Amino acid sequence: MRITVNDEPREVSAATLAEALDELGFGAARIATAVNGGFVPATARAGHRLAEGDRLEVLAPMQGG
Amino acid sequence: MSRYARQEVLVEVGPEGQARLGRAHALVVGAGGLGVPVLQYLAGAGVGRITLVDPDVVSVSNLHRQPLYAMADARRPKAVVAAERLAALNPECEVVPVAAPLDPANAAGLLAGVDVALDCADSFAAAYTLSDSCHAAGVPLISASALGLAGYAGGFCGGAPSLRAVFPDLPERAATCASAGVLGPVVGVMGALQAQMALAVLLGLAPSPLGQIVSFDAGRWRFGGFRFDAASEPAEGWAFLAPGDIAEADFTVDLRGVAEAPVPATPWARRLAVEDFGPGGPTPEPGQRAVLCCRSGLRSWRAAHRLSETWEGEIALVALGDMEDDG
Protein backbone atom coordinates (compact mmCIF):
# COMPACT_ATOMS: atom_id res chain seq x y z
CA MET A 1 0.00 0.00 0.00
CA ARG A 2 1.04 3.60 -0.46
CA ILE A 3 1.83 5.66 2.59
CA THR A 4 3.96 8.72 3.16
CA VAL A 5 7.00 8.78 5.45
CA ASN A 6 7.87 12.32 6.54
CA ASP A 7 5.88 13.49 3.48
CA GLU A 8 7.77 11.24 1.03
CA PRO A 9 5.58 8.70 -0.81
CA ARG A 10 6.59 5.10 -0.08
CA GLU A 11 5.18 1.70 -1.04
CA VAL A 12 5.12 -0.87 1.77
CA SER A 13 3.77 -4.41 2.04
CA ALA A 14 3.64 -4.23 5.84
CA ALA A 15 0.28 -4.39 7.63
CA THR A 16 1.34 -2.82 10.91
CA LEU A 17 3.44 0.16 11.93
CA ALA A 18 6.07 -2.12 13.51
CA GLU A 19 6.43 -4.12 10.29
CA ALA A 20 6.56 -0.95 8.21
CA LEU A 21 9.38 0.46 10.33
CA ASP A 22 11.35 -2.78 9.82
CA GLU A 23 10.64 -2.71 6.09
CA LEU A 24 11.71 0.94 5.85
CA GLY A 25 14.99 0.15 7.60
CA PHE A 26 14.36 1.82 10.95
CA GLY A 27 14.62 -1.53 12.74
CA ALA A 28 15.68 -0.98 16.33
CA ALA A 29 16.31 2.76 15.90
CA ARG A 30 15.26 4.81 18.91
CA ILE A 31 12.73 7.10 17.31
CA ALA A 32 9.35 8.63 17.99
CA THR A 33 6.58 7.70 15.56
CA ALA A 34 3.26 9.25 14.66
CA VAL A 35 0.52 8.27 12.22
CA ASN A 36 -1.75 10.94 10.74
CA GLY A 37 -0.52 13.52 13.24
CA GLY A 38 -1.03 11.38 16.35
CA PHE A 39 1.81 9.89 18.42
CA VAL A 40 2.06 6.09 18.47
CA PRO A 41 4.30 4.83 21.31
CA ALA A 42 6.81 2.04 20.65
CA THR A 43 4.72 -0.39 22.72
CA ALA A 44 1.69 0.13 20.43
CA ARG A 45 3.47 -0.18 17.06
CA ALA A 46 2.97 -3.94 16.65
CA GLY A 47 -0.79 -3.57 17.15
CA HIS A 48 -1.19 -0.43 15.02
CA ARG A 49 -2.56 -1.42 11.60
CA LEU A 50 -1.75 0.88 8.70
CA ALA A 51 -4.23 1.95 6.02
CA GLU A 52 -3.78 3.19 2.46
CA GLY A 53 -2.69 6.83 2.46
CA ASP A 54 -1.57 6.94 6.09
CA ARG A 55 0.92 9.68 6.91
CA LEU A 56 3.79 8.27 8.96
CA GLU A 57 6.15 10.62 10.77
CA VAL A 58 9.46 9.42 12.16
CA LEU A 59 11.49 11.66 14.47
CA ALA A 60 14.81 10.85 16.10
CA PRO A 61 15.87 12.58 19.32
CA MET A 62 18.73 15.00 18.73
CA GLN A 63 20.91 17.26 20.82
CA GLY A 64 22.12 20.60 19.56
CA GLY A 65 21.40 24.25 19.85
CA MET B 1 2.18 54.64 21.66
CA SER B 2 2.96 51.58 23.77
CA ARG B 3 5.90 49.49 22.58
CA TYR B 4 3.50 46.55 22.72
CA ALA B 5 0.76 48.17 20.59
CA ARG B 6 1.33 45.89 17.57
CA GLN B 7 0.84 42.71 19.60
CA GLU B 8 -1.72 44.09 22.06
CA VAL B 9 -4.06 44.78 19.14
CA LEU B 10 -4.35 41.00 18.57
CA VAL B 11 -7.42 39.41 20.12
CA GLU B 12 -5.08 36.64 21.34
CA VAL B 13 -3.20 39.21 23.45
CA GLY B 14 -5.14 42.37 24.33
CA PRO B 15 -4.40 44.49 27.42
CA GLU B 16 -5.15 41.55 29.70
CA GLY B 17 -2.75 39.23 27.88
CA GLN B 18 -0.09 41.92 27.85
CA ALA B 19 -0.46 42.27 31.61
CA ARG B 20 -0.10 38.49 31.98
CA LEU B 21 3.16 38.60 30.04
CA GLY B 22 4.37 41.41 32.28
CA ARG B 23 3.69 39.32 35.40
CA ALA B 24 5.27 36.16 33.91
CA HIS B 25 8.55 34.56 34.94
CA ALA B 26 10.37 32.41 32.36
CA LEU B 27 13.37 30.17 33.01
CA VAL B 28 15.65 29.99 29.96
CA VAL B 29 18.33 27.30 30.06
CA GLY B 30 20.98 27.99 27.42
CA ALA B 31 21.93 31.30 25.81
CA GLY B 32 23.21 29.83 22.54
CA GLY B 33 21.66 29.41 19.10
CA LEU B 34 18.21 28.55 20.46
CA GLY B 35 18.43 30.82 23.49
CA VAL B 36 19.32 33.98 21.57
CA PRO B 37 16.05 34.28 19.60
CA VAL B 38 14.09 33.00 22.61
CA LEU B 39 15.55 35.75 24.80
CA GLN B 40 15.11 38.48 22.19
CA TYR B 41 11.47 37.64 21.51
CA LEU B 42 10.46 37.04 25.13
CA ALA B 43 12.11 40.27 26.28
CA GLY B 44 10.73 42.12 23.27
CA ALA B 45 7.22 40.87 24.01
CA GLY B 46 7.42 42.22 27.55
CA VAL B 47 7.80 39.06 29.62
CA GLY B 48 8.43 40.56 33.06
CA ARG B 49 11.16 38.33 34.38
CA ILE B 50 13.65 35.93 32.81
CA THR B 51 16.10 33.77 34.73
CA LEU B 52 18.89 32.87 32.29
CA VAL B 53 21.13 29.89 33.03
CA ASP B 54 24.28 29.24 30.97
CA PRO B 55 27.76 28.23 32.14
CA ASP B 56 29.58 29.12 28.90
CA VAL B 57 31.45 32.10 27.58
CA VAL B 58 30.93 33.73 24.18
CA SER B 59 32.92 31.85 21.53
CA VAL B 60 33.71 33.38 18.12
CA SER B 61 33.08 30.02 16.40
CA ASN B 62 29.47 30.12 17.65
CA LEU B 63 28.61 33.67 16.53
CA HIS B 64 27.15 32.44 13.22
CA ARG B 65 24.11 31.25 15.18
CA GLN B 66 24.24 33.61 18.17
CA PRO B 67 23.92 37.07 16.58
CA LEU B 68 23.05 38.73 19.90
CA TYR B 69 26.78 38.74 20.69
CA ALA B 70 29.64 40.70 19.12
CA MET B 71 33.29 39.87 18.48
CA ALA B 72 34.28 42.01 21.45
CA ASP B 73 32.18 39.80 23.77
CA ALA B 74 34.44 36.78 23.19
CA ARG B 75 35.34 34.94 26.41
CA ARG B 76 32.76 36.88 28.47
CA PRO B 77 29.96 34.84 30.18
CA LYS B 78 27.04 34.49 27.76
CA ALA B 79 24.44 34.87 30.54
CA VAL B 80 25.94 38.21 31.59
CA VAL B 81 26.36 39.59 28.06
CA ALA B 82 22.82 38.51 27.12
CA ALA B 83 21.40 40.22 30.22
CA GLU B 84 23.17 43.47 29.21
CA ARG B 85 21.80 43.32 25.65
CA LEU B 86 18.25 42.55 26.83
CA ALA B 87 18.32 45.41 29.36
CA ALA B 88 18.96 47.75 26.42
CA LEU B 89 16.27 46.04 24.34
CA ASN B 90 13.57 46.32 26.99
CA PRO B 91 14.24 47.74 30.46
CA GLU B 92 10.80 46.49 31.56
CA CYS B 93 12.12 42.93 31.37
CA GLU B 94 14.23 41.94 34.36
CA VAL B 95 16.88 39.38 33.39
CA VAL B 96 18.67 37.47 36.15
CA PRO B 97 21.83 35.84 34.75
CA VAL B 98 23.08 32.60 36.32
CA ALA B 99 26.52 31.71 34.94
CA ALA B 100 26.38 28.05 35.98
CA PRO B 101 25.21 24.77 34.47
CA LEU B 102 21.71 23.50 35.16
CA ASP B 103 21.95 20.19 37.00
CA PRO B 104 19.58 17.93 38.95
CA ALA B 105 20.65 19.60 42.21
CA ASN B 106 19.78 23.19 41.26
CA ALA B 107 16.88 22.57 38.82
CA ALA B 108 14.06 22.50 41.37
CA GLY B 109 15.24 25.75 42.99
CA LEU B 110 15.57 27.50 39.63
CA LEU B 111 12.01 26.41 38.73
CA ALA B 112 10.43 27.89 41.86
CA GLY B 113 7.84 30.50 40.88
CA VAL B 114 8.49 29.96 37.16
CA ASP B 115 5.51 30.00 34.75
CA VAL B 116 7.29 28.40 31.79
CA ALA B 117 10.72 26.82 31.30
CA LEU B 118 12.61 26.74 28.00
CA ASP B 119 15.22 24.11 27.19
CA CYS B 120 17.61 25.93 24.86
CA ALA B 121 20.61 23.82 25.90
CA ASP B 122 22.55 21.57 23.58
CA SER B 123 22.60 18.29 25.47
CA PHE B 124 20.33 15.34 26.20
CA ALA B 125 21.39 15.57 29.86
CA ALA B 126 20.08 19.12 30.24
CA ALA B 127 16.88 18.29 28.33
CA TYR B 128 16.03 15.21 30.42
CA THR B 129 17.06 16.86 33.69
CA LEU B 130 14.82 19.83 32.95
CA SER B 131 11.98 17.57 31.79
CA ASP B 132 12.17 15.45 34.97
CA SER B 133 12.19 18.56 37.17
CA CYS B 134 9.39 20.30 35.24
CA HIS B 135 7.28 17.13 35.30
CA ALA B 136 7.68 16.88 39.08
CA ALA B 137 6.96 20.59 39.62
CA GLY B 138 4.10 20.81 37.10
CA VAL B 139 5.87 23.56 35.13
CA PRO B 140 5.30 23.71 31.33
CA LEU B 141 8.50 23.01 29.37
CA ILE B 142 9.27 24.12 25.81
CA SER B 143 12.17 22.00 24.58
CA ALA B 144 13.95 22.23 21.24
CA SER B 145 16.92 20.84 19.40
CA ALA B 146 18.57 21.63 16.09
CA LEU B 147 21.40 20.02 14.18
CA GLY B 148 22.60 20.24 10.62
CA LEU B 149 19.57 21.40 8.61
CA ALA B 150 16.84 20.03 10.88
CA GLY B 151 15.28 20.47 14.28
CA TYR B 152 12.18 20.17 16.40
CA ALA B 153 10.44 22.04 19.20
CA GLY B 154 7.76 20.74 21.53
CA GLY B 155 5.70 21.52 24.60
CA PHE B 156 6.01 19.09 27.51
CA CYS B 157 5.02 18.74 31.19
CA GLY B 158 2.73 21.22 32.97
CA GLY B 159 -0.14 18.72 32.57
CA ALA B 160 1.18 17.29 29.29
CA PRO B 161 3.43 14.21 28.97
CA SER B 162 7.15 14.67 29.60
CA LEU B 163 10.02 14.46 27.11
CA ARG B 164 10.59 10.86 28.27
CA ALA B 165 7.06 9.90 27.18
CA VAL B 166 7.92 10.83 23.57
CA PHE B 167 11.61 9.89 23.61
CA PRO B 168 11.97 7.16 26.27
CA ASP B 169 15.32 6.09 24.86
CA LEU B 170 18.38 7.70 23.30
CA PRO B 171 20.26 6.67 20.17
CA GLU B 172 23.49 4.70 20.35
CA ARG B 173 25.36 7.62 18.87
CA ALA B 174 24.37 11.23 18.58
CA ALA B 175 26.03 14.08 16.78
CA THR B 176 26.43 17.55 18.26
CA CYS B 177 26.69 21.01 16.73
CA ALA B 178 30.44 20.80 17.37
CA SER B 179 30.76 17.46 15.55
CA ALA B 180 28.11 17.72 12.83
CA GLY B 181 27.68 21.46 12.35
CA VAL B 182 24.51 23.50 12.08
CA LEU B 183 23.30 26.46 10.05
CA GLY B 184 22.38 29.57 12.03
CA PRO B 185 18.90 30.22 10.60
CA VAL B 186 17.84 26.60 11.23
CA VAL B 187 18.52 27.01 14.95
CA GLY B 188 16.95 30.47 14.75
CA VAL B 189 13.71 29.03 13.34
CA MET B 190 13.51 26.53 16.18
CA GLY B 191 14.31 29.21 18.79
CA ALA B 192 11.65 31.54 17.37
CA LEU B 193 9.19 28.64 17.48
CA GLN B 194 10.07 28.05 21.14
CA ALA B 195 9.41 31.71 21.92
CA GLN B 196 6.04 31.52 20.15
CA MET B 197 5.13 28.35 22.08
CA ALA B 198 6.13 29.99 25.37
CA LEU B 199 3.99 33.07 24.63
CA ALA B 200 1.07 30.76 23.75
CA VAL B 201 1.46 29.00 27.13
CA LEU B 202 1.64 32.30 29.03
CA LEU B 203 -1.36 33.71 27.14
CA GLY B 204 -3.35 30.48 27.53
CA LEU B 205 -3.96 30.13 23.79
CA ALA B 206 -5.82 27.10 22.40
CA PRO B 207 -4.89 24.63 21.10
CA SER B 208 -2.04 24.55 23.58
CA PRO B 209 1.49 23.88 22.37
CA LEU B 210 1.79 21.51 25.35
CA GLY B 211 1.44 18.01 23.90
CA GLN B 212 2.59 19.14 20.45
CA ILE B 213 5.88 18.65 18.59
CA VAL B 214 6.75 20.65 15.47
CA SER B 215 9.60 19.39 13.30
CA PHE B 216 11.45 21.32 10.59
CA ASP B 217 13.66 20.09 7.77
CA ALA B 218 15.40 22.96 5.98
CA GLY B 219 16.92 20.51 3.48
CA ARG B 220 13.48 19.70 2.08
CA TRP B 221 11.56 22.84 3.16
CA ARG B 222 9.22 20.77 5.24
CA PHE B 223 7.46 21.32 8.53
CA GLY B 224 5.97 18.28 10.29
CA GLY B 225 4.79 17.34 13.73
CA PHE B 226 2.31 15.47 15.82
CA ARG B 227 0.34 15.63 19.07
CA PHE B 228 1.14 13.33 21.98
CA ASP B 229 -1.46 14.33 24.61
CA ALA B 230 -2.18 10.71 25.61
CA ALA B 231 1.42 9.44 25.70
CA SER B 232 2.13 7.57 28.92
CA GLU B 233 5.26 8.01 31.02
CA PRO B 234 7.76 5.17 30.63
CA ALA B 235 7.83 2.71 33.53
CA GLU B 236 11.59 2.85 33.70
CA GLY B 237 14.29 5.33 32.86
CA TRP B 238 17.53 6.46 34.37
CA ALA B 239 17.61 9.76 36.23
CA PHE B 240 20.51 12.16 36.05
CA LEU B 241 22.46 12.98 39.19
CA ALA B 242 24.42 16.16 39.94
CA PRO B 243 28.21 15.59 40.02
CA GLY B 244 28.26 16.94 43.59
CA ASP B 245 25.78 14.29 44.75
CA ILE B 246 27.97 11.27 43.95
CA ALA B 247 28.57 9.40 47.24
CA GLU B 248 31.64 7.44 48.24
CA ALA B 249 29.38 4.42 48.79
CA ASP B 250 28.30 4.49 45.12
CA PHE B 251 29.63 2.07 42.51
CA THR B 252 31.09 5.01 40.58
CA VAL B 253 32.30 4.59 37.01
CA ASP B 254 34.03 7.18 34.82
CA LEU B 255 33.47 6.18 31.20
CA ARG B 256 35.86 8.81 29.88
CA GLY B 257 39.33 7.71 28.89
CA VAL B 258 42.44 8.99 30.66
CA ALA B 259 43.39 11.10 27.64
CA GLU B 260 39.95 12.75 27.65
CA ALA B 261 39.84 13.28 31.40
CA PRO B 262 43.16 12.97 33.26
CA VAL B 263 41.36 13.62 36.56
CA PRO B 264 38.54 11.10 37.22
CA ALA B 265 35.01 12.12 38.26
CA THR B 266 35.78 11.20 41.86
CA PRO B 267 38.95 9.76 43.47
CA TRP B 268 37.13 6.44 43.97
CA ALA B 269 35.69 6.20 40.43
CA ARG B 270 36.81 3.21 38.43
CA ARG B 271 37.64 3.68 34.77
CA LEU B 272 35.61 1.43 32.50
CA ALA B 273 34.32 1.53 28.93
CA VAL B 274 30.69 1.16 27.81
CA GLU B 275 31.55 -2.22 26.25
CA ASP B 276 32.83 -3.56 29.59
CA PHE B 277 29.23 -3.82 30.82
CA GLY B 278 26.86 -6.64 29.97
CA PRO B 279 26.94 -10.41 30.50
CA GLY B 280 30.02 -11.29 32.56
CA GLY B 281 30.79 -7.61 33.11
CA PRO B 282 31.20 -5.67 36.36
CA THR B 283 28.18 -5.11 38.64
CA PRO B 284 27.75 -3.19 41.91
CA GLU B 285 27.33 -4.94 45.24
CA PRO B 286 23.71 -5.75 46.17
CA GLY B 287 22.03 -2.58 47.45
CA GLN B 288 24.75 -0.35 46.04
CA ARG B 289 23.85 2.41 43.60
CA ALA B 290 25.55 2.44 40.19
CA VAL B 291 26.64 5.94 39.11
CA LEU B 292 27.79 6.11 35.51
CA CYS B 293 29.65 9.28 34.48
CA CYS B 294 30.75 10.70 31.13
CA ARG B 295 30.90 14.09 29.44
CA SER B 296 27.44 14.39 27.83
CA GLY B 297 25.57 11.53 29.54
CA LEU B 298 25.19 9.57 26.30
CA ARG B 299 27.87 6.95 27.10
CA SER B 300 26.39 6.70 30.61
CA TRP B 301 22.99 5.98 29.05
CA ARG B 302 24.46 3.25 26.81
CA ALA B 303 26.39 1.70 29.70
CA ALA B 304 23.17 1.76 31.77
CA HIS B 305 21.45 -0.20 28.99
CA ARG B 306 24.14 -2.87 29.13
CA LEU B 307 24.37 -2.95 32.94
CA SER B 308 20.59 -3.27 33.30
CA GLU B 309 20.72 -6.49 31.27
CA THR B 310 22.60 -8.18 34.08
CA TRP B 311 21.70 -6.11 37.16
CA GLU B 312 18.40 -4.84 38.55
CA GLY B 313 19.58 -2.26 41.11
CA GLU B 314 19.46 1.54 40.96
CA ILE B 315 21.39 3.26 38.18
CA ALA B 316 22.03 7.03 38.04
CA LEU B 317 23.71 8.97 35.22
CA VAL B 318 26.08 11.91 35.53
CA ALA B 319 26.90 14.37 32.73
CA LEU B 320 30.16 16.03 33.75
CA GLY B 321 30.04 18.61 30.95
CA ASP B 322 32.69 20.06 28.73
CA MET B 323 36.23 20.49 29.92
CA GLU B 324 36.47 23.52 27.68
CA ASP B 325 33.74 25.60 26.13
CA ASP B 326 32.41 24.90 22.70
CA GLY B 327 28.69 25.16 23.41
Side-chain angles (χ1 to χ4, degrees), chain A residues 31-60:
Chain A
I31 46 173
T33 53
V35 177
N36 300 329
F39 177 66
V40 180
T43 49
R45 288 174 193 158
H48 191 103
R49 301 195 68 80
L50 291 178
E52 180 78 23
D54 272 354
R55 292 177 294 110
L56 171 57
E57 172 129 4
V58 172
L59 186 63

Short mmCIF file of all heavy atoms in Angstrom, two decimals, chain A residues 31-60:
data_model
loop_
_atom_site.label_atom_id
_atom_site.label_comp_id
_atom_site.label_asym_id
_atom_site.label_seq_id
_atom_site.Cartn_x
_atom_site.Cartn_y
_atom_site.Cartn_z
N ILE A 31 13.41 5.99 17.97
CA ILE A 31 12.73 7.10 17.31
C ILE A 31 11.33 7.25 17.90
O ILE A 31 10.80 6.32 18.49
CB ILE A 31 12.60 6.83 15.79
CG1 ILE A 31 12.10 5.39 15.56
CG2 ILE A 31 13.92 7.07 15.07
CD1 ILE A 31 11.79 5.06 14.13
N ALA A 32 10.77 8.43 17.68
CA ALA A 32 9.35 8.63 17.99
C ALA A 32 8.58 8.48 16.69
O ALA A 32 9.06 8.86 15.63
CB ALA A 32 9.13 10.02 18.58
N THR A 33 7.38 7.89 16.76
CA THR A 33 6.58 7.70 15.56
C THR A 33 5.18 8.26 15.75
O THR A 33 4.63 8.25 16.86
CB THR A 33 6.45 6.20 15.21
OG1 THR A 33 5.97 5.49 16.35
CG2 THR A 33 7.79 5.61 14.78
N ALA A 34 4.64 8.76 14.65
CA ALA A 34 3.26 9.25 14.66
C ALA A 34 2.59 8.84 13.35
O ALA A 34 3.25 8.73 12.32
CB ALA A 34 3.23 10.78 14.82
N VAL A 35 1.30 8.58 13.42
CA VAL A 35 0.52 8.27 12.22
C VAL A 35 -0.62 9.27 12.13
O VAL A 35 -1.37 9.45 13.10
CB VAL A 35 -0.02 6.82 12.26
CG1 VAL A 35 -0.89 6.55 11.04
CG2 VAL A 35 1.12 5.81 12.33
N ASN A 36 -0.70 9.94 10.99
CA ASN A 36 -1.75 10.94 10.74
C ASN A 36 -1.80 12.01 11.84
O ASN A 36 -2.87 12.42 12.28
CB ASN A 36 -3.12 10.27 10.57
CG ASN A 36 -3.12 9.30 9.40
OD1 ASN A 36 -2.40 9.50 8.42
ND2 ASN A 36 -3.89 8.25 9.51
N GLY A 37 -0.60 12.41 12.29
CA GLY A 37 -0.52 13.52 13.24
C GLY A 37 -0.70 13.14 14.69
O GLY A 37 -0.71 14.01 15.56
N GLY A 38 -0.86 11.83 14.96
CA GLY A 38 -1.03 11.38 16.35
C GLY A 38 0.09 10.44 16.76
O GLY A 38 0.41 9.50 16.03
N PHE A 39 0.68 10.68 17.92
CA PHE A 39 1.81 9.89 18.42
C PHE A 39 1.40 8.43 18.63
O PHE A 39 0.31 8.15 19.14
CB PHE A 39 2.25 10.50 19.76
CG PHE A 39 3.36 9.77 20.46
CD1 PHE A 39 4.63 9.72 19.91
CD2 PHE A 39 3.15 9.16 21.69
CE1 PHE A 39 5.67 9.06 20.56
CE2 PHE A 39 4.18 8.51 22.36
CZ PHE A 39 5.44 8.45 21.80
N VAL A 40 2.25 7.51 18.20
CA VAL A 40 2.06 6.09 18.47
C VAL A 40 3.29 5.59 19.24
O VAL A 40 4.38 5.55 18.68
CB VAL A 40 1.88 5.26 17.18
CG1 VAL A 40 1.67 3.79 17.52
CG2 VAL A 40 0.72 5.79 16.35
N PRO A 41 3.14 5.26 20.53
CA PRO A 41 4.30 4.83 21.31
C PRO A 41 4.86 3.50 20.81
O PRO A 41 4.14 2.73 20.17
CB PRO A 41 3.75 4.70 22.74
CG PRO A 41 2.29 4.53 22.59
CD PRO A 41 1.90 5.26 21.32
N ALA A 42 6.13 3.25 21.13
CA ALA A 42 6.81 2.04 20.65
C ALA A 42 6.03 0.79 21.03
O ALA A 42 5.94 -0.16 20.24
CB ALA A 42 8.22 1.99 21.21
N THR A 43 5.43 0.80 22.24
CA THR A 43 4.72 -0.39 22.72
C THR A 43 3.45 -0.67 21.91
O THR A 43 2.93 -1.77 21.97
CB THR A 43 4.32 -0.20 24.20
OG1 THR A 43 3.69 1.08 24.32
CG2 THR A 43 5.54 -0.25 25.11
N ALA A 44 2.95 0.31 21.17
CA ALA A 44 1.69 0.13 20.43
C ALA A 44 1.92 -0.10 18.93
O ALA A 44 0.97 -0.29 18.18
CB ALA A 44 0.79 1.35 20.62
N ARG A 45 3.20 -0.09 18.51
CA ARG A 45 3.47 -0.18 17.06
C ARG A 45 3.06 -1.52 16.46
O ARG A 45 2.57 -1.58 15.34
CB ARG A 45 4.95 0.07 16.79
CG ARG A 45 5.35 1.52 16.98
CD ARG A 45 6.85 1.70 16.85
NE ARG A 45 7.25 3.02 17.33
CZ ARG A 45 8.48 3.31 17.72
NH1 ARG A 45 9.43 2.39 17.68
NH2 ARG A 45 8.76 4.52 18.15
N ALA A 46 3.28 -2.61 17.20
CA ALA A 46 2.97 -3.94 16.65
C ALA A 46 1.47 -4.10 16.44
O ALA A 46 1.04 -4.82 15.53
CB ALA A 46 3.49 -5.02 17.58
N GLY A 47 0.66 -3.43 17.26
CA GLY A 47 -0.79 -3.57 17.15
C GLY A 47 -1.44 -2.47 16.31
O GLY A 47 -2.65 -2.46 16.16
N HIS A 48 -0.62 -1.54 15.78
CA HIS A 48 -1.19 -0.43 15.02
C HIS A 48 -1.23 -0.77 13.53
O HIS A 48 -0.21 -0.80 12.86
CB HIS A 48 -0.38 0.85 15.25
CG HIS A 48 -1.05 2.08 14.71
ND1 HIS A 48 -1.70 3.00 15.50
CD2 HIS A 48 -1.21 2.50 13.42
CE1 HIS A 48 -2.22 3.94 14.74
NE2 HIS A 48 -1.94 3.66 13.48
N ARG A 49 -2.43 -1.04 13.01
CA ARG A 49 -2.56 -1.42 11.60
C ARG A 49 -2.54 -0.16 10.73
O ARG A 49 -3.13 0.85 11.08
CB ARG A 49 -3.86 -2.19 11.37
CG ARG A 49 -3.96 -3.47 12.20
CD ARG A 49 -5.05 -4.39 11.69
NE ARG A 49 -4.75 -4.96 10.38
CZ ARG A 49 -3.93 -6.00 10.19
NH1 ARG A 49 -3.35 -6.57 11.22
NH2 ARG A 49 -3.72 -6.47 8.98
N LEU A 50 -1.85 -0.26 9.62
CA LEU A 50 -1.75 0.88 8.70
C LEU A 50 -2.82 0.78 7.62
O LEU A 50 -3.26 -0.32 7.28
CB LEU A 50 -0.37 0.92 8.04
CG LEU A 50 0.80 1.25 8.98
CD1 LEU A 50 2.11 1.19 8.21
CD2 LEU A 50 0.62 2.62 9.61
N ALA A 51 -3.24 1.92 7.10
CA ALA A 51 -4.23 1.95 6.02
C ALA A 51 -3.65 2.76 4.85
O ALA A 51 -2.75 3.58 5.04
CB ALA A 51 -5.53 2.59 6.52
N GLU A 52 -4.17 2.48 3.68
CA GLU A 52 -3.78 3.19 2.46
C GLU A 52 -3.81 4.71 2.71
O GLU A 52 -4.78 5.23 3.26
CB GLU A 52 -4.75 2.81 1.33
CG GLU A 52 -4.49 3.47 -0.01
CD GLU A 52 -3.35 2.80 -0.77
OE1 GLU A 52 -3.05 1.63 -0.48
OE2 GLU A 52 -2.74 3.47 -1.63
N GLY A 53 -2.72 5.38 2.34
CA GLY A 53 -2.69 6.83 2.46
C GLY A 53 -2.28 7.36 3.81
O GLY A 53 -2.22 8.58 4.02
N ASP A 54 -1.98 6.47 4.76
CA ASP A 54 -1.57 6.94 6.09
C ASP A 54 -0.30 7.79 5.98
O ASP A 54 0.59 7.52 5.18
CB ASP A 54 -1.29 5.74 7.01
CG ASP A 54 -2.55 5.28 7.74
OD1 ASP A 54 -3.58 5.96 7.61
OD2 ASP A 54 -2.48 4.25 8.43
N ARG A 55 -0.26 8.81 6.84
CA ARG A 55 0.92 9.68 6.91
C ARG A 55 1.73 9.30 8.13
O ARG A 55 1.31 9.51 9.26
CB ARG A 55 0.49 11.15 6.99
CG ARG A 55 -0.17 11.68 5.73
CD ARG A 55 -0.63 13.13 5.88
NE ARG A 55 -1.70 13.25 6.86
CZ ARG A 55 -1.56 13.82 8.06
NH1 ARG A 55 -0.39 14.32 8.45
NH2 ARG A 55 -2.59 13.90 8.88
N LEU A 56 2.90 8.70 7.88
CA LEU A 56 3.79 8.27 8.96
C LEU A 56 4.86 9.34 9.18
O LEU A 56 5.43 9.86 8.22
CB LEU A 56 4.42 6.93 8.57
CG LEU A 56 5.55 6.38 9.44
CD1 LEU A 56 5.10 6.23 10.89
CD2 LEU A 56 5.99 5.02 8.89
N GLU A 57 5.08 9.69 10.44
CA GLU A 57 6.15 10.62 10.77
C GLU A 57 7.13 9.92 11.70
O GLU A 57 6.74 9.26 12.67
CB GLU A 57 5.59 11.88 11.43
CG GLU A 57 6.68 12.80 11.97
CD GLU A 57 6.55 14.25 11.50
OE1 GLU A 57 5.58 14.58 10.82
OE2 GLU A 57 7.46 15.03 11.83
N VAL A 58 8.39 10.04 11.38
CA VAL A 58 9.46 9.42 12.16
C VAL A 58 10.39 10.53 12.62
O VAL A 58 10.84 11.34 11.81
CB VAL A 58 10.22 8.39 11.28
CG1 VAL A 58 11.46 7.89 12.02
CG2 VAL A 58 9.32 7.23 10.90
N LEU A 59 10.66 10.58 13.92
CA LEU A 59 11.49 11.66 14.47
C LEU A 59 12.50 11.07 15.46
O LEU A 59 12.11 10.40 16.41
CB LEU A 59 10.60 12.70 15.16
CG LEU A 59 11.27 13.98 15.67
CD1 LEU A 59 11.86 14.80 14.54
CD2 LEU A 59 10.26 14.82 16.46
N ALA A 60 13.76 11.34 15.20
CA ALA A 60 14.81 10.85 16.10
C ALA A 60 15.17 11.95 17.10
O ALA A 60 15.22 13.12 16.73
CB ALA A 60 16.04 10.45 15.30
#
